[in-house]
Amino acid sequence: MEAYIEELFAIQEEEINYEDLYEGLLQMQLNPISLNRAGNEELQSLFVLTPLQITSFLTYRAAFGPLLSLYELQAIPHWDLETIQRVLPFVTLAENTHLRQQPLFQRIISERDAYLILRHRRVWETRRGFLPADTLASGSLSTRYQGDPNDLYARFRIQHVRDFSVGFTMDKDPGETFTWDPATQRYGFNFISYHATLYDKGPWKTISLGDYQLQFGQGLVFGAGFSVGKGAETITTVRRSSVGIRPYTSVLEFGFFRGGAATYRKGGWEFTAMYSNAPRDARIQVENDTMERPEAYISSLLRSGLHRTPSEIEAKAQAREQNLGGNIHFNSPNKNFQWGSNALHTQFSQPFQPNPRVYNAFEFTGSTNHIYSTYFSYNLHNYFFFGESARSKSGGHGTVLGLMSSLHPKVDFSMLWRQFDRNFHTLYGNAFSEGTRPINETGLYLGLRYKPNRKFTWSIYHDQFRFPWLRFRVYQPSHGTEWLSRIAYSPSKNTFLFLQARNESKGRNLPNLAQNGVSHLVGTGRRRNLVFSLEHKLNNTWQIKSRVQASDFLLGTQYSKGFALAQDLNADLGKIRLSGRMALFDTEDFENRQYIYEKNVLWAFSLPNYYGQGLRYYLLGQWRINQQLTFWGRWARTSFTDRRQIGTGLQQIEGSFLSETTMQLRYQFNR
């Protein structure tokens, strides 16, 4: 799984929410697709298989019938061992027909796949927010966190693949109070997510109550779930798949629906309807209208999910958001053609009026938004054509058109064009884009992968984009380019190495010192990254991994650089597994911060940024106590050599060390 993540998340960016991506990947693993029933759409959703490999699989299955064993995958043309290993966590041959004779409740209480996870995490150095309050010059006390520094997490789930899933997830962040206060919607844990989902009940494909997400088309309307975008996998990740309704099990307090959704299936047609009524954290302002009557409005929607200070607690669940929508999806009899249409109507409890800025003049405002789209996907031999076009209430349009193809057994190609108007408003969209949201952008992406033999793989992409309107920190229309090239070499199944280079150039406001008396001048910021990684399995017990990465950044006349070195050592001792890392980093500024994926306890994601000068090291242990109990313990520490204070504001720590522990216990209800 670590290798799969590192390939997909080849270049890490601050603005991408990797916890959400990781949660989507986890849902793929917990809900594997059935190889004996899957079509093009389901197989492509794995982001592993090329068009040629998918065509070969479907041809093999049509010729020889359903697979009897996963070992048969070795007989499929163009499926090498590397491909099979990457696919296995996300597929199954299991069918549930023999279980459906039992009542649902009986199936739930007798299910073997059930677990409870309890997790504790803490930073041991004291942040300013946990110190006693100071008395200000006005005589009032300074703001402090209301709770303790412990991070608590609980997760329960009982499920059977493609039959049912029931569970809940609870979370208390550091600084939040563990309290029962219905007035502020805090019930012990500050956030609780829950779901109950039923699959394949007669003509009903999916029925879900509680928290859920939707993914249809290319993500212009419903774009939840697992989608990557640009990375070292240059071909398959450009396209989104219509995976439909997915239960939501993350602790991120935004980006999900709360209510009910269902998909009805008749022949090649599927009809999905959804309704959601969920609270949203918001800053509420009050001003008088033209009749001198007070009128409340939302000045900002908060996405952090943190409720530590009085102002953060005051913003908790201050707004409500209702969503009503649906989808119509058609599959041709041979599953080579899909067509669909989406609709979503959103209404807020108060009008949304963000603070006016020159760059957000065309952003969404008002109480309601509606958006409609139509999409298609067509498979012709080794060519996948796909696209979606949408229109929002504002009149803004968004369009994505793409192609994936296996031009040759050794050459794969992808192309994607997108255009999003500056007034295109999609609140749950997650289409392929350079920006964090599909708005105010036009671009063309080209990807290529060449695999001359089993040992070598060369992947490259080039993306050219343009922003017709202003953006945050870019106060004029701008454009840019980005390319990545990666050469991977695996001389044996025990050794893997790659060299990766990336270059990105796009507009940025020049620093104040470079303005020369003219405000808001825009220059071109150029960032280059270079990564070398070597992984070697010494024997069945020990594995080592070395990584070197460097970057530089140029904006105007200001130039800076940075690097990081990391050495990993992993051991599999049977019931005990150990992982450790020592990393050295030196970066001259925040633009050159380095990201390296770290192993963590089960289903927790860690991708810290290395900024400044210092050392980062961690040790992770896993102990399988018995068939029911498994324990994880992790200790990590960052030691800075260039500062005596870490962080700012209430997060500030006096000192040069940052130490963190994570402990997790999983109980599996094996019967």
Side-chain angles (χ1 to χ4, degrees):
M1 186 65 72
E2 287 80 9
Y4 183 76
I5 291 172
E6 285 195 316
E7 183 165 2
L8 294 179
F9 307 152
I11 295 294
Q12 290 76 38
E13 298 287 356
E14 182 76 10
E15 60 268 17
I16 297 179
N17 195 322
Y18 289 98
E19 286 191 17
D20 195 25
L21 288 177
Y22 187 67
E23 184 67 26
L25 180 62
L26 171 61
Q27 292 306 312
M28 289 173 55
Q29 186 181 17
L30 293 177
N31 296 278
I33 66 173
S34 172
L35 284 176
N36 286 329
R37 294 193 298 170
N40 292 314
E41 191 75 8
E42 293 89 347
L43 293 171
Q44 196 282 326
S45 69
L46 301 177
F47 298 118
V48 172
L49 301 173
T50 66
L52 178 61
Q53 290 170 332
I54 293 176
T55 301
S56 296
F57 173 81
L58 296 176
T59 302
Y60 178 91
R61 192 179 65 183
F64 298 100
L67 277 68
L68 301 179
S69 168
L70 290 173
Y71 289 103
E72 280 192 73
L73 296 176
Q74 300 174 87
I76 300 175
H78 311 297
W79 281 53
D80 53 24
L81 186 59
E82 178 187 358
T83 298
I84 296 172
Q85 290 174 338
R86 294 173 64 192
V87 163
L88 285 179
F90 311 110
V91 299
T92 182
L93 297 180
E95 298 291 346
N96 304 314
T97 54
H98 66 288
L99 295 174
R100 295 306 179 93
Q101 300 173 1
Q102 301 177 354
L104 175 61
F105 180 74
Q106 182 65 34
R107 300 202 303 271
I108 292 177
I109 63 175
S110 62
E111 175 56 44
R112 294 176 57 89
D113 190 3
Y115 61 85
L116 173 66
I117 287 179
L118 301 175
R119 182 189 303 160
H120 173 274
R121 185 180 69 88
R122 177 166 179 167
V123 172
W124 290 97
E125 288 75 21
T126 302
R127 299 188 187 274
R128 176 183 290 177
F130 298 107
L131 295 173
D134 301 322
T135 302
L136 302 177
S138 62
S140 60
L141 295 178
S142 58
T143 299
R144 290 293 184 263
Y145 295 149
Q146 304 295 294
D148 57 60
N150 297 306
D151 185 344
L152 303 177
Y153 172 95
R155 179 177 189 150
F156 171 79
R157 189 167 187 178
I158 181 169
Q159 67 169 21
H160 194 91
V161 176
R162 305 312 304 171
D163 187 5
F164 63 84
S165 175
V166 179
F168 61 82
T169 308
M170 303 185 293
D171 172 69
K172 183 198 86 71
D173 294 308
E176 295 180 338
T177 304
F178 196 89
T179 183
W180 189 275
D181 185 8
T184 57
Q185 299 196 30
R186 292 181 293 170
Y187 305 97
F189 290 90
N190 270 252
F191 179 70
I192 302 175
S193 175
Y194 49 89
H195 77 275
T197 304
L198 183 65
Y199 301 97
D200 296 331
K201 181 66 174 177
W204 296 95
K205 180 180 179 181
T206 311
I207 301 174
S208 187
L209 298 175
D211 298 343
Y212 61 92
Q213 294 179 310
L214 300 175
Q215 182 172 323
F216 291 104
Q218 296 307 306
L220 290 182
V221 179
F222 296 116
F226 182 64
S227 54
V228 182
K230 291 184 282 189
E233 174 48 69
T234 59
I235 306 300
T236 61
T237 56
V238 301
R239 180 181 180 270
R240 307 291 189 256
S241 296
S242 297
V243 297
I245 303 171
R246 284 272 180 95
Y248 183 75
T249 59
S250 176
V251 293
L252 300 174
E253 301 183 28
F254 61 90
F256 65 92
F257 299 111
R258 174 166 292 177
T263 298
Y264 182 82
R265 182 168 45 197
K266 186 174 180 61
W269 293 87
E270 295 178 359
F271 305 90
T272 299
M274 58 81 61
Y275 173 75
S276 169
N277 190 336
R280 292 288 183 254
D281 292 354
R283 302 285 187 198
I284 304 297
Q285 307 291 336
V286 178
E287 65 178 13
N288 292 330
D289 61 12
T290 56
M291 302 296 292
E292 296 300 318
R293 294 173 300 189
E295 187 176 77
Y297 66 92
I298 302 170
S299 61
S300 62
L301 292 169
L302 308 183
R303 298 168 62 92
S304 70
L306 299 174
H307 309 102
R308 306 163 298 180
T309 64
S311 63
E312 291 176 348
I313 295 173
E314 182 183 4
K316 182 175 173 61
Q318 288 300 297
R320 295 202 71 85
E321 178 188 306
Q322 294 190 74
N323 285 276
L324 179 66
N327 166 268
I328 299 175
H329 185 86
F330 172 73
N331 267 302
S332 64
N334 60 8
K335 296 187 177 182
N336 285 337
F337 174 73
Q338 293 89 33
W339 170 88
S341 182
N342 296 309
L344 180 64
H345 176 83
T346 304
Q347 180 168 346
F348 292 97
S349 54
Q350 299 94 356
F352 182 67
Q353 299 178 20
N355 295 326
R357 298 287 188 271
V358 64
Y359 61 83
N360 69 2
F362 296 92
E363 289 283 355
F364 168 75
T365 61
S367 299
T368 62
N369 182 56
H370 52 251
I371 182 170
Y372 309 93
S373 78
T374 184
Y375 62 88
F376 77 95
S377 176
Y378 180 58
N379 173 223
L380 178 63
H381 303 299
N382 297 327
Y383 294 85
F384 280 177
F385 301 91
F386 56 91
E388 183 176 12
S389 184
R391 184 180 189 274
S392 62
K393 178 184 177 182
S394 62
H397 289 83
T399 301
V400 173
L401 291 173
L403 162 70
M404 291 194 314
S405 173
S406 292
L407 303 177
H408 183 274
K410 298 180 180 180
V411 180
D412 300 307
F413 172 75
S414 65
M415 178 175 63
L416 185 138
W417 174 82
R418 73 271 188 191
Q419 178 173 328
F420 313 121
D421 291 345
R422 59 187 181 180
N423 63 333
F424 177 62
H425 302 146
T426 173
L427 303 180
Y428 287 89
N430 186 25
F432 184 101
S433 62
E434 167 64 19
T436 56
R437 298 177 299 129
I439 186 173
N440 182 37
E441 179 179 330
T442 300
L444 178 64
Y445 171 98
L446 301 173
L448 188 72
R449 180 172 59 199
Y450 175 55
K451 192 175 180 67
N453 53 50
R454 183 190 62 81
K455 296 181 179 181
F456 281 97
T457 304
W458 177 49
S459 303
I460 186 171
Y461 73 71
H462 181 274
D463 189 32
Q464 186 165 345
F465 42 84
R466 182 172 59 88
F467 307 108
W469 183 246
L470 286 60
R471 306 171 69 230
F472 178 64
R473 295 201 302 178
V474 190
Y475 289 160
Q476 72 179 39
S478 60
H479 59 87
T481 60
E482 178 183 346
W483 61 261
L484 178 144
S485 179
R486 172 170 167 148
I487 299 175
Y489 175 57
S490 181
S492 69
K493 65 178 182 179
N494 293 328
T495 304
F496 176 75
L497 60 91
F498 71 82
L499 178 66
Q500 176 177 290
R502 179 226 194 187
N503 183 293
E504 180 189 51
S505 299
K506 59 183 177 181
R508 285 274 295 272
N509 285 349
L510 292 174
N512 292 332
L513 296 177
Q515 298 288 355
N516 296 323
V518 181
S519 61
H520 303 319
L521 288 179
V522 174
T524 299
R526 187 211 65 196
R527 179 182 286 107
R528 297 184 297 188
N529 301 82
L530 185 67
V531 179
F532 173 77
S533 177
L534 170 63
E535 184 175 349
H536 181 64
K537 186 176 180 181
L538 300 174
N539 50 46
N540 290 333
T541 301
W542 297 97
Q543 182 186 53
I544 60 173
K545 185 175 183 179
S546 304
R547 187 177 180 116
V548 181
Q549 59 185 56
S551 67
D552 66 0
F553 182 76
L554 177 64
L555 178 60
T557 59
Q558 296 190 359
Y559 175 79
S560 58
K561 59 184 183 298
F563 73 88
L565 311 174
Q567 179 62 54
D568 292 7
L569 180 64
N570 305 316
D572 188 345
L573 306 174
K575 290 187 175 182
I576 297 178
R577 293 182 179 179
L578 299 174
S579 301
R581 167 178 293 171
M582 175 74 74
L584 170 70
F585 58 92
D586 185 352
T587 63
E588 295 181 351
D589 58 14
F590 195 64
E591 298 291 350
N592 286 283
R593 60 198 182 277
Q594 305 292 314
Y595 291 91
I596 305 179
Y597 170 79
E598 294 183 350
K599 288 187 176 183
N600 208 325
V601 302
L602 182 68
W603 300 340
F605 192 77
S606 180
L607 191 70
N609 66 68
Y610 299 173
Y611 165 52
Q613 296 176 347
L615 293 170
R616 168 81 175 176
Y617 33 91
Y618 74 84
L619 181 64
L620 169 66
Q622 174 187 338
W623 177 28
R624 187 172 177 84
I625 302 171
N626 53 45
Q627 287 188 342
Q628 285 78 37
L629 281 175
T630 306
F631 174 78
W632 289 263
R634 186 178 189 265
W635 173 78
R637 186 177 227 196
T638 305
S639 174
F640 293 95
T641 59
D642 63 340
R643 70 193 71 177
R644 291 294 177 263
Q645 288 183 342
I646 302 172
T648 59
L650 297 182
Q651 290 289 92
Q652 182 174 299
I653 293 173
E654 295 294 333
S656 57
F657 296 98
L658 182 66
S659 307
E660 175 187 306
T661 60
T662 305
M663 292 179 290
Q664 178 168 292
L665 185 68
R666 179 182 64 177
Y667 181 78
Q668 294 177 285
F669 297 84
N670 296 331
R671 297 177 176 86

